[in-house]
Amino acid sequence: MKYTGGLLIFVLLGLLQASAQATIIPLWPKDKIPKQIASDDKETHVQGEDLLRISKVQEPTIEVFLPSKKNANGQAMLIFPGGGYQILAYDWEGTDIAKFLNSKGIAGIVVKYRLPSSVSQTDSHLVPLIDAQRAMRLVRNKAKDFNIEADKIGAMGFSAGGHLVATLGTHFNEQVYDAIDDIDKENSRPDFIALGYAAISFKNRSSSKASQKESSEHKSKPFIGEYFSIEKAVTEETPPTFLFHAGNDPGVPVENSLRFFQALKNKNVPATMHIYPTGGHGFSLARDNVHLRGWTERLFEWMESLE
């Protein structure tokens, strides 16, 4: 009898753990990934001591983390990890963020987007934006399934992922791929965006060198550098924006956020910005820094103000 009871508890715990697992959904139907070409590239996942690095993404997906229905507030945030458009810091700036958002009743949806590669793609400079638009449309299409409200879906990105979110927030109306199904009829504009130590400009000294190198071919195609200098693409339709950055960031200078904030202000787009004196680059949740980690509470307060 004791054995039976122990077995029952074990089975129940297993079921609970299984139900808590995130759901992974492909962005595209098989063999219909835009701009994809056959190559020898293989998607790589490397789990280091500090973070999970994903590179050479071949099958873009969303990984959906949902709060309990009782705690859910109807908001969702698509999360785009950074990594200089070379890798994705998938847990550090992705799944860890999603789980943290869940604690506030917000659905966290991590986007594993493709990285520019002349080997695996045509028009590789557009591929991250293509995946970002599709991810927003897919989540909006499945809003009822995810217990979220279709007009309360935001996007958040870190470093190069922040640049991609800023690109999505300014180029959401542009047709960068041919529609393949009903999902592509959905609006790809985020209802709000949050940018963490984001690269913004490719046309000045405050740009991130890594992002410049990997996300565009602007040296050989100058128009691409212009297109992805996002402070020049802000319009009145750019979503309300939350920015946070460290003043001593050596990787992506704080001037990137300052310039984007000014561009938003010039177009009367609601914007909130928090600049912290120290923190460097890539601090994620900053749980070891009492002052810096406050950005998370400021984000939640700002999201509540959007209601």
Side-chain angles (χ1 to χ4, degrees):
M1 193 67 183
K2 288 182 179 178
Y3 176 80
T4 304
L7 179 61
L8 178 60
I9 291 173
F10 178 80
V11 171
L12 288 174
L13 285 174
L15 289 173
L16 287 172
Q17 290 173 351
S19 66
Q21 296 299 310
T23 300
I24 297 178
I25 302 173
L27 279 186
W28 307 96
K30 190 175 182 180
D31 300 326
K32 290 188 177 181
I33 304 177
K35 310 295 184 180
Q36 190 90 324
I37 56 178
S39 76
D40 292 330
D41 270 356
K42 303 293 182 184
E43 185 168 311
T44 303
H45 295 228
V46 177
Q47 180 65 68
E49 292 183 3
D50 53 349
L51 53 84
L52 170 62
R53 293 172 171 84
I54 299 180
S55 59
K56 299 181 180 180
V57 174
Q58 301 298 306
E59 298 179 0
T61 62
I62 56 172
E63 187 168 4
V64 183
F65 294 81
L66 300 178
S68 67
K69 287 188 176 182
K70 190 172 182 180
N71 285 327
N73 66 8
Q75 290 181 320
M77 187 76 89
L78 275 68
I79 305 160
F80 294 79
Y85 284 119
Q86 301 174 74
I87 61 115
L88 301 179
Y90 194 75
D91 49 3
W92 180 245
E93 293 172 345
T95 56
D96 284 359
I97 305 299
K99 295 169 186 176
F100 198 75
L101 290 171
N102 281 179
S103 72
K104 297 291 186 177
I106 302 164
I109 301 168
V110 185
V111 184
K112 187 183 73 172
Y113 58 94
R114 287 175 293 163
L115 303 162
S117 166
S118 59
V119 175
S120 298
Q121 304 144 9
T122 60
D123 296 325
S124 60
H125 59 287
L126 288 176
V127 163
L129 176 58
I130 289 170
D131 286 354
Q133 285 190 359
R134 175 70 176 192
M136 182 59 64
R137 288 172 171 140
L138 177 60
V139 172
R140 193 158 272 136
N141 182 263
K142 292 184 174 294
K144 290 184 178 179
D145 296 338
F146 297 159
N147 192 36
I148 60 178
E149 297 182 38
D151 59 352
K152 293 183 179 180
I153 303 173
M156 179 177 198
F158 298 83
S159 192
H163 178 268
L164 178 53
V165 169
T167 304
L168 176 64
T170 52
H171 294 299
F172 55 85
N173 268 336
E174 296 183 22
Q175 184 178 346
V176 289
Y177 68 95
D178 294 329
I180 62 171
D181 54 27
D182 286 344
I183 291 172
D184 289 323
K185 296 177 182 178
E186 300 283 354
N187 188 350
S188 69
R189 178 186 181 273
D191 294 301
F192 47 89
I193 59 176
L195 309 178
Y197 39 89
I200 294 296
S201 179
F202 287 171
K203 296 289 286 184
N204 56 68
R205 294 179 182 177
S206 66
S207 304
S208 162
K209 292 181 180 179
S211 297
Q212 286 186 37
K213 178 181 178 182
E214 296 301 324
S215 70
S216 71
E217 303 151 354
H218 65 281
K219 289 184 179 179
S220 59
K221 299 179 180 179
F223 76 92
I224 296 177
E226 189 76 21
Y227 184 85
F228 288 109
S229 291
I230 305 303
E231 78 279 12
K232 298 182 179 182
V234 172
T235 71
E236 291 82 358
E237 294 184 348
T238 300
T241 303
F242 179 95
L243 303 104
F244 60 99
H245 216 128
N248 69 340
D249 189 329
V252 178
V254 71
E255 284 78 10
N256 281 267
S257 287
L258 296 174
R259 186 170 285 106
F260 195 64
F261 179 85
Q262 186 61 56
L264 294 166
K265 185 174 181 292
N266 291 344
K267 295 296 184 179
N268 296 312
V269 176
T272 295
M273 180 170 61
H274 295 275
I275 304 298
Y276 295 87
T278 61
H281 187 70
F283 50 78
S284 183
L285 294 169
R287 301 315 298 165
D288 59 348
N289 186 315
V290 175
H291 181 48
L292 186 59
R293 71 188 183 197
W295 77 258
T296 56
E297 290 302 321
R298 305 293 79 77
L299 173 68
F300 297 140
E301 293 164 358
W302 175 75
M303 290 180 69
E304 285 181 333
S305 75
L306 298 174
E307 296 285 347

